[in-house]
Amino acid sequence: MSLRIVVTVKYVPDATGDRHFADDLTVDRDDVDGLLSELDEYAVEQALQIAEDADDAEVTVLTVGPEDAKDALRKALSMGADKAIHVEDDDLHGTDAIGTSLVLAKAIEKAGFDLVVSGMASTDGTMGVVPALVAERLGVPQVTLLSEVSVEDGTVKGRRDGDAASEQLEAQLPALVSVTDQSGEARYPSFKGIMAAKKKPVESWDLSDLDIEAEEVGLEGAFTKVETAAARPARTAGTIVKDEGEGGKQLAEFLASQKFI
Ligand SMILES: Cc1cc2nc3c(=O)[nH]c(=O)nc-3n(C[C@H](O)[C@H](O)[C@H](O)COP(=O)(O)OP(=O)(O)OC[C@H]3O[C@@H](n4cnc5c(N)ncnc54)[C@H](O)[C@@H]3O)c2cc1C
């Protein structure tokens, strides 16, 4: 039977762009270009490699995001994924990580899966919690932060590198893994891949397709609330220490005054 791999990919605001908060203190996504989170490119790459090593496998990429999030799906399809699912609904506005994990888990269940592959964190929220939340909701083992991953005989195996030691981990499928930016360079989409992606299926689901009530997500369902937000003050010129024999002392005094030492 075909190995069904679902990769969670997030569409994030371009970090090089100017980002703002909207009036309700959510990120103003209309005003800034977005792209596939760079850390999720590693997840797509590992999923494609697992699929290439399997006799029969299908890679589905899944995103929860606004209309433009289709761009992230197209990029993943042009890298080689087989099909895509886009969950979009006006009621998702303001959804936090817990709500996002609910939507992802319901969509993954509906799609059917043997293995879920996620990134280690998004490049905007950077909480790194969604994969664990999704695995918990799906009731499957989670093997997170892997630098190396493979699937053999219904078992997913991988290596997690810590500061002092590396661990070899494995779990029976169905399972969820998240992969780090050390797992291997993500491939660039080829011209052929870009052309092929245009014809690959992209399904669109909303909350009713997933039996999720509006109150469970959005600002109303969020467990966190942004009370205030302020733009970061503009950078001021730094302190210049002119060394006339006392430079080291002045430097130490400055660091002490800033509580660095
Ligand atoms: C329209 C919309 C409005 C939102 N508004 C808010 C808001 O106001 N406040 C708020 O806290 N959050 C909001 N969110 C959710 C937020 O953007 C994050 O997706 C969520 O909080 C997860 O946190 P993170 O990005 O730190 O994920 P992490 O835990 O860092 O992500 C780890 C991995 O989980 C997967 N993943 C995470 N998010 C998604 C996703 N959306 N789709 C597919 N895969 C994903 C990726 O594989 C990623 O690499 C909104 C989301 C949407 C779609």
Side-chain angles (χ1 to χ4, degrees):
M1 202 180 111
S2 179
L3 177 70
R4 296 162 304 167
I5 307 174
V6 178
V7 192
T8 57
V9 294
K10 187 175 181 189
Y11 177 76
V12 296
D14 185 349
T16 59
D18 217 4
R19 287 168 291 170
H20 303 280
F21 286 104
D23 291 344
D24 62 1
L25 298 180
T26 58
V27 177
D28 188 351
R29 289 160 200 267
D30 292 337
D31 229 18
V32 61
D33 287 338
L35 72 174
L36 168 62
S37 174
E38 194 189 330
L39 290 169
D40 288 342
E41 290 185 18
Y42 295 97
V44 176
E45 176 62 38
Q46 290 310 309
L48 293 175
Q49 286 189 25
I50 291 167
E52 283 158 8
D53 290 343
D55 289 338
D56 183 17
E58 183 178 63
V59 177
T60 303
V61 286
L62 163 68
T63 197
V64 177
E67 168 67 23
D68 290 347
K70 281 201 174 61
D71 291 352
L73 294 175
R74 284 279 166 228
K75 170 96 187 262
L77 290 171
S78 64
M79 287 171 72
D82 300 296
K83 57 184 186 145
I85 299 168
H86 182 195
V87 183
E88 188 197 1
D89 198 301
D90 287 347
D91 288 328
L92 281 169
H93 177 78
T95 308
D96 64 1
I98 295 173
T100 302
S101 72
L102 172 70
V103 181
L104 286 171
K106 290 268 193 174
I108 292 165
E109 264 169 356
K110 185 173 159 79
F113 74 103
D114 299 298
L115 177 68
V116 180
V117 185
S118 297
M120 61 191 278
S122 67
T123 52
D124 61 340
T126 64
M127 284 192 274
V129 294
V130 167
L133 292 167
V134 170
E136 191 66 25
R137 288 187 186 279
L138 293 172
V140 299
Q142 49 175 293
V143 192
T144 51
L145 302 175
L146 299 180
S147 308
E148 204 175 81
V149 61
S150 62
V151 171
E152 229 173 279
D153 300 330
T155 303
V156 60
K157 299 180 181 183
R159 194 187 75 236
R160 182 193 290 151
D161 295 323
D163 286 341
S166 291
E167 298 166 300
Q168 294 291 340
L169 302 159
E170 61 178 65
Q172 290 296 115
L173 299 181
L176 176 146
V177 299
S178 72
V179 300
T180 72
D181 54 356
Q182 301 303 307
S183 56
E185 277 301 299
R187 67 194 69 186
Y188 285 107
S190 63
F191 179 68
K192 200 171 146 209
I194 294 168
M195 296 313 285
K198 293 184 201 283
K199 294 196 187 119
K200 290 181 179 173
V202 180
E203 280 194 56
S204 290
W205 294 344
D206 62 16
L207 289 178
S208 66
D209 292 315
L210 301 175
D211 290 329
I212 297 175
E213 301 296 328
E215 310 80 68
E216 295 179 81
V217 293
L219 281 173
E220 206 183 320
F223 284 74
T224 50
K225 185 166 187 258
V226 180
E227 299 276 354
T228 56
R232 197 169 24 203
R235 271 193 188 190
T236 50
T239 307
I240 296 173
V241 175
K242 205 166 168 205
D243 188 8
E244 287 167 347
E246 293 267 292
K249 189 164 170 264
Q250 284 184 53
L251 194 57
E253 279 168 4
F254 174 77
L255 291 173
S257 73
Q258 301 296 311
K259 297 195 174 17
F260 284 116
I261 54 174

